[in-house]
Amino acid sequence: MKVSKALGILLLAVLLVSLPCHAATGNQGYAVYRDGVALNLTWHAGMMVQPNSSNYAEAIAHAPGGKEKSGYTTYTQFMNGKNFKGVYRPHKPLTDHDRDLVVATARYIAEKHIPYDVSAMMIADTNNGRARFYPNDIQKIRCDGVVEYSYEYNGIPVFGIKDWDISVNRTSEIEMHRGVINVNPQMQANSMVQVSTAKP
């Protein structure tokens, strides 16, 4: 059984490496932010999964909040009449391949329709028996959690120096991503590089 599982993983890895990449273009793989959350105390975050928001209806993956689950949205719905704060990326320069992986992860989160929780960027199954949280381990997610996980699951740091990886199943990482005082969308954006202030 172990040999066949290992062989299956190896074949999957070879298949993924050999598949042609859809090189990310435009704003794909970048985070977007707007203000107007919690009496304007913080922002709302999303991930661009399309090159732009003008030619694609479902351009942004996000966790809208309240009783709504993660999914896709238009730029107009994402903005909700508020002020656009910009397009951002992590400090680490991103290759097209990095951006493709980030987009794929954000799409998975959107299509899984994960419930929202304000208490932490992400709540995952800590009893999964693994050192990492895989996408199917996510039980609840916040808008900044969509951004954080999409990058950090793919080895791209967003927020913090120590215990930065939200995908690591360890108490120190889990605690680093809890609450709204120490981590929130505006603080997350402020730890990143602004790419543009124009509509994506």
Side-chain angles (χ1 to χ4, degrees), residues 14-101:
V14 169
L15 176 65
L16 289 174
V17 169
S18 64
L19 287 174
C21 284
H22 301 286
T25 60
N27 290 300
Q28 281 182 303
Y30 292 146
V32 289
Y33 296 87
R34 59 107 166 138
D35 69 5
V37 176
L39 303 173
N40 216 25
L41 294 175
T42 191
W43 297 355
H44 180 52
M47 288 297 304
M48 288 295 298
V49 294
Q50 296 291 359
N52 63 65
S53 62
S54 297
N55 300 331
Y56 301 90
E58 297 182 331
I60 301 169
H62 75 146
K67 293 182 180 179
E68 292 186 62
K69 297 179 179 180
S70 63
Y72 297 111
T73 191
T74 65
Y75 176 78
T76 302
Q77 290 170 330
F78 175 80
M79 290 303 298
N80 193 27
K82 306 300 190 293
N83 300 303
F84 186 63
K85 291 299 184 178
V87 179
Y88 290 77
R89 67 163 177 81
H91 282 274
K92 175 189 173 193
L94 303 177
T95 65
D96 286 346
H97 181 65
D98 289 335
R99 290 168 64 191
D100 287 340
L101 293 173

Side-chain angles (χ1 to χ4, degrees), residues 141-160:
I141 200 158
R142 205 166 68 192
C143 67
D144 50 351
V146 174
V147 171
E148 196 96 0
Y149 187 85
S150 295
Y151 285 121
E152 294 181 351
Y153 176 71
N154 293 295
I156 303 163
V158 173
F159 189 81

Side-chain angles (χ1 to χ4, degrees), residues 159-165 170 172-173 176-177:
F159 189 81
I161 298 169
K162 184 181 177 187
D163 304 323
W164 59 267
D165 192 345
R170 188 169 49 213
S172 54
E173 269 82 2
M176 176 66 76
H177 296 91

